[in-house]
Amino acid sequence: MFLLSSILQDPERMIDILQSSLLPMVKGALYYSIPLTIISFILGMILAILTALARLSGFNILRGIARVYVSAVRGTPLLVQLFIIFYGLPSIGLKFDPFSSAVIAFSLNVGAYSSEIVRAAIQSIAKGQWEAGYSIGMTYGQTLKRIILPQAARVSIPPLSNSFISLVKDTSLASLILVTELFRRAQEIAATNYQFLLLYVEAAFLYWIMCFILTIIQDRIESRLDRYIAK
């Protein structure tokens, strides 16, 4: 109601603020939020696959390392992880710029959470698929690569898509370590005209638009994959 009354009282000024702030926010999304999401998700998925395979391996040391990593990341807030990497590590000589710090933190986070999705997807594949690969002379690695992982990928795409969409929103936390992404731009502009509510609502709307587009893409991918599922 307060936002609506402000717009009604001085509509021209409010519209001018929205128009002038839109381009900087969109640039923040294009130059930082989206690249940060894509890079972190790709690196995180590589880490997730390696972690999932380590959890499923027959080596106790690998399983133990993977379990500790997943437990540590899932058991601590993402914001704390960001602060440790950006503000804490320089005290021991490891210094990263804001964007790199955000990539490291988000990649580690995605890797831990997604590894459980990947592990569950691999375990959902019937043991007969492994036996079929071995029966035609494939090694463990060949069976995993050519038979198991393609089927597991189809199973894991819906939950991984949700993780990707969540990551888009989580990038707003990077504003706290000085990454000038979408929300940071909103904060900077609001600090000059004190229209915090108006600009934060505009930022929320832009995040919603990005997530809405990704949801449409997710639905189409899932529809295409449904063609290969026997019904």
Side-chain angles (χ1 to χ4, degrees):
M1 291 298 293
F2 177 79
L3 177 59
L4 181 59
S5 63
S6 298
I7 294 175
L8 292 176
Q9 289 175 4
D10 195 351
E12 292 184 1
R13 181 170 179 268
M14 296 298 106
I15 292 174
D16 183 62
I17 290 174
L18 288 173
Q19 289 178 339
S20 61
S21 62
L22 181 60
L23 183 58
M25 287 192 198
V26 170
K27 285 184 176 179
L30 293 176
Y31 295 161
Y32 291 97
S33 298
I34 294 175
L36 181 57
T37 301
I38 294 173
I39 295 171
S40 300
F41 190 76
I42 292 173
L43 295 177
M45 282 309 305
I46 294 173
L47 189 56
I49 293 172
L50 294 175
T51 303
L53 294 177
R55 289 287 303 271
L56 296 172
S57 73
F59 298 98
N60 292 331
I61 294 178
L62 287 178
R63 289 204 307 270
I65 293 173
R67 192 181 293 274
V68 170
Y69 158 61
V70 172
S71 177
V73 173
R74 293 173 64 185
T76 55
L78 176 54
L79 182 58
V80 175
Q81 296 164 20
L82 277 167
F83 274 45
I84 289 174
I85 293 170
F86 184 67
Y87 294 110
L89 291 185
S91 64
I92 59 172
L94 296 175
K95 188 174 182 179
F96 302 98
D97 62 79
F99 188 84
S100 298
S101 299
V103 168
I104 294 170
F106 292 139
S107 298
L108 290 172
N109 203 266
V110 170
Y113 281 92
S114 298
S115 67
E116 294 298 280
I117 296 174
V118 174
R119 182 170 68 91
I122 292 175
Q123 290 180 318
S124 70
I125 307 303
K127 292 183 178 180
Q129 298 293 313
W130 289 97
E131 295 171 358
Y134 296 148
S135 68
I136 59 176
M138 287 186 180
T139 63
Y140 172 85
Q142 291 173 330
T143 304
L144 181 68
K145 179 180 177 181
R146 299 177 183 178
I147 298 177
I148 304 302
L149 286 181
Q151 296 182 71
R154 187 189 66 205
V155 174
S156 62
I157 278 181
L160 289 178
S161 297
N162 290 331
S163 297
F164 185 80
I165 292 172
S166 295
L167 180 59
V168 173
K169 296 177 290 182
D170 288 341
T171 57
S172 62
L173 292 175
S175 64
L176 298 175
I177 59 169
L178 311 179
V179 177
T180 53
E181 45 73 64
L182 192 160
F183 188 62
R184 180 72 180 183
R185 293 294 178 89
Q187 290 177 312
E188 292 173 347
I189 298 169
T192 63
N193 56 34
Y194 302 103
Q195 295 297 326
F196 295 98
L197 180 58
L198 179 66
L199 291 164
Y200 290 168
V201 169
E202 183 181 17
F205 178 75
L206 291 175
Y207 278 113
W208 176 73
I209 289 295
M210 289 192 292
C211 293
F212 181 73
I213 293 172
L214 289 173
T215 301
I216 294 174
I217 295 173
Q218 175 188 356
D219 291 341
R220 291 188 176 182
I221 292 174
E222 291 180 18
S223 296
R224 290 181 66 87
L225 290 174
D226 282 343
R227 302 176 184 177
Y228 305 101
I229 300 177
K231 297 181 180 179

